Amino acid sequence: MRALWRWLLLLLIAGLALQLFFLARVALMTRVDPQSTAFERSELFRLWQESRVDPPAPVTASGKKAVVRKPKPLRWRQQWVNYERISSHLKRAVIASEDDGFVNHPGVDWVALQEAWTRNAAAQARAEMQAQRSAAQRTTQQAVRQPKVVGGSTITQQLAKNLFLSGERTLLRKGQELVLTLMLETVLDKRRILEIYLNHVEWGEGVFGAQAAAQRYYGKNAWQLGPDEAARLAVMLPRPRFFEKLPNSSYLADRAGVIESRLWFAQLPP
């Protein structure tokens, strides 16, 4: 029993030490611009693996060399720009699309989380009923459609996850995300949170930050984006790699029109 308590005490100390480490990292961000996030580093490693050159294939019995697959080129774009150098249209569009209560909530929008949980629970229930019907009808060849997970994360929560955490969905990771969110909101102001978010959010495969996105899709700088361009970029955020391949998507165009109409209602941090 004494050994068990000792292990529990060690785990508690390790957990507190980890939180202090995270808090120190967040405090450093008041003065120093973060160069990368945990998500960016994991993506860079993935892209690097895909770009590696395969070893030369041996000569076949017929004397012909086997075909060697060409490596995928490593594409990476990320450049920090200060808050003042990011178009106000993009700031407003991202807030309108991702988190319209950003300026007023304490980092977590509990109402949005509850609504997301309710929608996800209903989608899961429908998927289970479909699976039961398929089993009863012996339609084993028909794939059961998985429910779409709806998020209720704020901009601050997204930043906390991207900065420090992995992409796995567990209660422990979600709890750590909430702690990090409170740290960010306590130590940093809303303006700084939005600045870091816009400089590190993903806008396509290997495309991170407002400057890289503006150059990738419009051939201009982040401070030159107009309302329509900003709205389209904002709509891409939940699924940037998907919309990168479908730039002419009707949903993208329609949703961008809605966001553009809401731009002037979006409140920017002072």
Side-chain angles (χ1 to χ4, degrees):
M1 192 67 181
R2 185 175 299 176
L4 177 61
W5 282 108
R6 186 181 297 114
W7 277 108
L8 290 176
L9 180 59
L10 288 174
L11 287 175
L12 178 60
I13 293 173
L16 289 175
L18 180 62
Q19 303 314 310
L20 289 174
F21 169 75
F22 284 145
L23 183 58
R25 291 278 304 277
V26 172
L28 187 63
M29 292 177 194
T30 61
R31 299 289 183 181
V32 180
D33 301 330
Q35 297 301 307
S36 65
T37 67
F39 179 71
E40 284 176 336
R41 291 189 291 272
S42 67
E43 277 299 292
L44 181 59
F45 180 72
R46 180 184 67 83
L47 293 173
W48 173 77
Q49 284 187 314
E50 293 179 356
S51 68
R52 294 175 63 185
V53 179
D54 293 343
V59 178
T60 62
S62 61
K64 296 181 179 180
K65 290 185 178 180
V67 177
V68 179
R69 179 178 60 86
K70 292 184 179 180
K72 183 179 180 180
L74 177 60
R75 187 182 70 181
W76 186 266
R77 300 184 184 187
Q78 201 277 334
Q79 179 184 346
W80 181 278
V81 287
N82 292 333
Y83 186 84
E84 297 79 6
R85 303 284 283 174
I86 301 175
S87 168
S88 61
H89 300 307
L90 183 61
K91 298 169 191 172
R92 292 180 184 276
V94 168
I95 290 175
S97 179
E98 293 290 291
D99 184 6
D100 57 3
F102 172 67
V103 173
N104 300 312
H105 63 60
V108 179
D109 189 338
W110 297 107
V111 174
L113 280 179
Q114 177 63 36
E115 291 176 350
W117 184 88
T118 302
R119 291 196 296 270
N120 289 333
Q124 182 63 41
R126 289 194 297 269
E128 291 176 355
M129 291 180 60
Q130 180 185 356
Q132 292 175 358
R133 287 197 299 267
S134 298
Q137 298 171 1
R138 300 181 182 277
T139 56
T140 56
Q141 295 180 351
Q142 180 180 359
V144 177
R145 184 177 182 181
Q146 295 298 315
K148 179 182 178 181
V149 178
V150 179
S153 296
T154 64
I155 285 176
T156 312
Q157 285 177 275
Q158 294 177 45
L159 178 60
K161 179 181 66 176
N162 290 341
L163 279 171
F164 300 111
L165 304 176
S166 66
E168 62 180 350
R169 294 178 179 273
T170 64
L171 288 177
L172 181 62
R173 191 206 64 79
K174 195 65 179 178
Q176 181 64 79
E177 178 189 303
L178 292 176
V179 173
L180 289 168
T181 298
L182 295 178
M183 288 183 186
L184 289 169
E185 288 280 342
T186 302
V187 178
L188 308 178
D189 58 32
K190 294 283 188 178
R191 179 187 174 104
R192 181 60 168 166
I193 290 172
L194 184 59
E195 179 182 35
I196 297 174
Y197 176 84
L198 289 174
N199 272 287
H200 287 289
V201 69
E202 183 186 30
W203 253 301
E205 187 173 67
V207 182
F208 289 89
Q211 178 69 0
Q215 292 179 342
R216 163 69 175 83
Y217 298 106
Y218 298 110
K220 57 177 61 176
N221 294 307
W223 58 89
Q224 297 173 319
L225 293 170
D228 56 331
E229 297 163 337
R232 288 183 71 88
L233 288 178
V235 174
M236 291 180 65
L237 284 181
R239 303 176 68 187
R241 278 176 265 174
F242 174 81
F243 288 119
E244 182 181 26
K245 298 175 182 177
L246 296 172
N248 299 319
S249 164
S250 58
Y251 170 82
L252 182 63
D254 294 343
R255 179 64 178 167
V258 173
I259 295 303
E260 186 176 356
S261 69
R262 297 178 182 174
L263 283 187
W264 305 114
F265 298 99
Q267 186 178 356
L268 293 178

